[in-house]
Amino acid sequence: MTAGTNPGSLATGALAQGAADGFTAIVLAAGKGTRMRSDRPKVLHALANRSMLGHVLAAVQEAGASRLAVVVEPGREDVAREIERMAPGAGVHPQAERLGTAHAVLAARPALEGGQDVIVAFGDTPLITAETYTRLRAPLREGAAVAVLAFEAADPTGYGRVLTEGGRVRAIREEKDASEDERSVRLSNAGLMALSGALALGLLERIGNDNANREYYLTDAVALAVADGLPVAVVPVAEAEAQGVNDRVQLSQAEATIQARLRRAAQLGGATLIAPETVFLSVDTVLGRDVVVEPHCVFGPGVVVGDGCTIRAFSHLHDARLMEGADIGPHVRLRGGAVLEAGVHLGNFVEIKNATLHAGAKASHLTYLGDAEIGAGANIGAGTITCNYDGVSKHRTIIGAGAFIGSNSALVAPVSVGAGALVGAGSVITRDVPGDALAVARGRQITREGAAKTLRETLKAAKAAKAARAAQPD
């Protein structure tokens, strides 16, 4: 995925060196997120089917973090599980009191004692790319004590201001503590900070709480470093990338940014998205070369689409694998372990769940195939369903290569239809069908001449009699 930020004047050699050796990433993820109006912790709300915290953990690891520490609200086992899933072995550090960002970082004190360079990240700032984390650390390799991420805000209201003098950083001032002149500054603090491993713990321990909120601000590390005569660097970032998420509106804005990145990467990778703004991808979606995706398609987690496939409009895929040349839709749903081999065709309103369709199999319309294996070249007629659930357990249906299943058939699992067999339309198949056999399982048709006319007349007479009774006075 390509980040839309300018690396600035930092040397590429410094970038390469910064990525080559490890650093410690401390991710602050203890906020309650009350503005989300949710029982779920804010950092577990998802973008492109990955939690915000997951995005941050993935990015810092890609940037070369060799040690991870996450500061969390005590007792949040759900957050701890997400950390273990996304970054096995990361340290989890509860923050019992919320006394400011510096206080939160010190909750992970053991992670600060190794002497590695430190990057402080935020679990609710999920759009920062691995490239930006690498750029943030690079000034430390050139001798800076502290590096801060900053952006030129269109409207800086609410942000801390990065104050400079003679081209050098002198402090970061929170808005509540800023003077009128300082509030006019547009260079705004993105929150993220890199600290030299040799100096980080000493700077953090000296931070006080002499401010309007009586909190220990991480940003005060800048003024302390400046007072010590140590160099402080500012690393620029686009305002859109620095966006944090505090409520559902901002969550949707971040989703739009993530989706734009994913769509661009898919297109640059060789896929055609006919109406990109209508296609929604997951972070792990894989689209091969010459894939065509028509409008209004949704890709949930775990989808891999091979070269030359076509996904027609209004299809929804989740946990599915399509091999070369598969053609599906419109209005197809794939889920729960669906596998389509080369050349499989699915038409409108077909659902596949935990089923494998071998090369060249077809189900052109109005079909449900669950817990099934469909042989190569088999043809599944309209309205066919596999009855895979008996109310207690799921059972499999096996359909052999080249078999033909007539329209509106029900296959009651567990059952198999052999290679080359033919099932007559409207059949309910409850027993195995041998290969090349013809199976018809439906009630015998009875035709009675004139019976329809007689029945209609009888029904009309009954209706008239009922109406006449209703009209009589009591």
Side-chain angles (χ1 to χ4, degrees):
M1 187 181 300
T2 302
T5 54
N6 181 357
S9 60
L10 297 174
T12 56
L15 290 175
Q17 182 181 12
D21 54 352
F23 64 90
T24 295
I26 297 178
V27 181
L28 305 187
K32 288 184 176 295
T34 54
R35 281 181 280 175
M36 296 294 288
R37 301 291 191 269
S38 176
D39 294 330
R40 179 187 305 174
K42 178 169 67 169
V43 297
L44 295 189
H45 285 264
L47 301 171
N49 293 300
R50 175 186 283 170
S51 71
M52 291 195 288
L53 177 58
H55 281 282
V56 176
L57 293 174
V60 294
Q61 288 177 97
E62 185 182 345
S66 57
R67 188 175 189 180
L68 277 166
V70 187
V71 178
V72 302
E73 181 183 356
R76 292 303 325 201
E77 294 301 320
D78 45 3
V79 177
R81 286 192 297 270
E82 178 70 350
I83 295 167
E84 178 61 25
R85 189 178 72 85
M86 290 298 303
V92 179
H93 304 272
Q95 182 189 12
E97 296 181 279
R98 289 173 180 77
L99 302 178
T101 47
H103 178 264
V105 174
L106 284 171
R109 179 184 292 270
L112 294 163
E113 294 172 348
Q116 280 190 321
D117 289 345
V118 176
I119 286 181
V120 180
F122 292 80
D124 60 358
T125 309
L127 302 179
I128 303 295
T129 66
E131 179 193 9
T132 297
Y133 283 113
T134 300
R135 291 195 301 111
L136 179 59
R137 188 193 172 202
L140 305 185
R141 315 307 297 162
E142 298 175 346
V146 178
V148 297
L149 201 64
F151 59 92
E152 290 286 339
D155 177 6
T157 304
Y159 293 115
R161 308 303 203 274
V162 180
L163 307 178
T164 59
E165 187 174 281
R168 303 184 59 163
V169 179
R170 61 182 177 86
I172 297 177
R173 192 84 71 230
E174 296 301 321
E175 187 170 63
K176 289 182 179 180
D177 301 302
S179 67
E180 283 300 317
D181 286 344
E182 290 172 340
R183 289 182 184 182
S184 68
V185 173
R186 290 179 55 212
L187 186 61
S188 301
N189 177 35
L192 287 78
M193 183 179 292
L195 300 101
S196 167
L199 302 168
L201 187 56
L203 287 171
L204 291 166
E205 288 180 330
R206 290 164 55 197
I207 291 174
N209 65 346
D210 185 16
N211 52 65
N213 284 342
R214 309 302 298 173
E215 291 186 352
Y216 298 87
Y217 292 144
L218 175 63
T219 50
D220 285 350
V222 170
L224 289 171
V226 169
D228 290 345
L230 299 171
V232 176
V234 175
V235 177
V237 67
E239 183 173 5
E241 185 179 344
Q243 174 186 349
V245 175
N246 293 303
D247 56 35
R248 308 271 185 162
V249 174
Q250 292 175 341
L251 184 71
S252 67
Q253 293 167 345
E255 179 74 39
T257 299
I258 288 283
Q259 289 299 329
R261 290 179 183 176
L262 294 173
R263 292 164 187 152
R264 175 180 170 81
Q267 292 173 99
L268 293 177
T272 293
L273 309 184
I274 293 175
E277 69 280 4
T278 71
V279 174
F280 290 84
L281 304 168
S282 290
V283 289
D284 62 349
T285 300
V286 177
L287 302 180
R289 293 166 61 92
D290 297 316
V291 167
V292 176
V293 182
E294 292 186 353
H296 302 289
C297 291
V298 176
F299 294 80
V303 177
V304 177
V305 180
D307 294 347
C309 292
T310 299
I311 315 297
R312 301 191 186 275
F314 295 99
S315 293
H316 191 292
L317 293 73
H318 178 185
D319 186 20
R321 183 180 179 191
L322 286 70
M323 299 183 189
E324 183 176 355
D327 186 330
I328 70 167
H331 295 281
V332 160
R333 186 181 184 198
L334 305 181
R335 62 187 179 95
V339 177
L340 310 185
E341 291 190 352
V344 165
H345 171 69
L346 303 178
N348 51 290
F349 301 105
V350 173
E351 180 176 355
I352 308 294
K353 191 274 293 185
N354 190 30
T356 297
L357 279 70
H358 292 286
K362 295 186 293 184
S364 294
H365 30 223
L366 304 167
T367 293
Y368 170 70
L369 301 173
D371 299 291
E373 182 172 352
I374 314 301
N379 187 89
I380 311 299
T384 296
I385 62 172
T386 56
C387 307
N388 55 322
Y389 184 50
D390 63 10
V392 177
S393 301
K394 300 289 182 69
H395 304 281
R396 288 189 70 76
T397 297
I398 310 296
I399 298 174
F404 184 96
I405 310 299
S407 296
N408 204 35
S409 294
L411 307 176
V412 183
V415 70
S416 65
V417 176
L422 191 153
V423 172
S427 294
V428 178
I429 301 299
T430 59
R431 292 183 294 177
D432 291 349
V433 179
D436 292 320
L438 168 63
V440 181
R442 58 186 179 227
R444 177 176 296 180
Q445 180 173 320
I446 299 173
T447 303
R448 294 176 179 161
E449 296 288 342
K453 179 180 179 181
T454 301
L455 179 59
R456 282 195 297 271
E457 290 173 349
T458 301
L459 293 174
K460 287 178 181 178
K463 183 177 181 180
K466 182 178 180 181
R469 289 194 300 272
Q472 290 179 354
D474 292 336

